[in-house]
Amino acid sequence: MRVTDPILQGACQDVAQLSALTGQVPLAIAVQALLFGIAHGEQGAWAVARFALYGLALGWVAATRRSLLPTMLCHAAIDVYAALSV
C-alpha cells in the first residue's frame, strides 16, 4: 500500500464531501474515480483505466452505503489478491 491510498480513501472516496463541492453525487463519484485511477498511474495506462473503474464501483458503494468501511475492505481484498497473484 502506498502512502497515497489512505489519503485518497479518506479524501477522495468521501463522496459526501465531493458531492457538497460539485452539487451532484454522480459527478462526485466520477471525480473520485478519476482521481483514484490517476493515483495508480505509475502502473501504466491500463491500470489507470482499471482503477478508475474500481473507483466508480467503490464510489457507488460508498454513496449508497454511506460508509467507507465496505470500500476499504474491497480495496484491501483487491490488494491481497494482487499480491498473491504475483
Side-chain angles (χ1 to χ4, degrees):
M1 181 167 75
R2 296 178 315 278
V3 174
T4 57
D5 286 343
I7 294 169
L8 284 172
Q9 282 184 331
C12 296
Q13 283 201 317
D14 189 350
V15 176
Q17 286 182 344
L18 283 171
S19 9
L21 289 173
T22 64
Q24 301 176 32
V25 173
L27 180 58
I29 292 172
V31 168
Q32 68 81 26
L34 181 62
L35 292 173
F36 189 66
I38 290 170
H40 292 85
E42 79 280 354
Q43 297 174 34
W46 173 241
V48 170
R50 187 176 70 237
F51 281 99
L53 289 175
Y54 289 157
L56 284 173
L58 296 175
W60 177 79
V61 170
T64 57
R65 302 290 299 167
R66 297 183 184 260
S67 172
L68 287 177
L69 182 60
T71 63
M72 291 167 56
L73 293 174
C74 287
H75 189 284
I78 291 167
D79 286 348
V80 168
Y81 175 77
L84 293 176
S85 65
V86 171

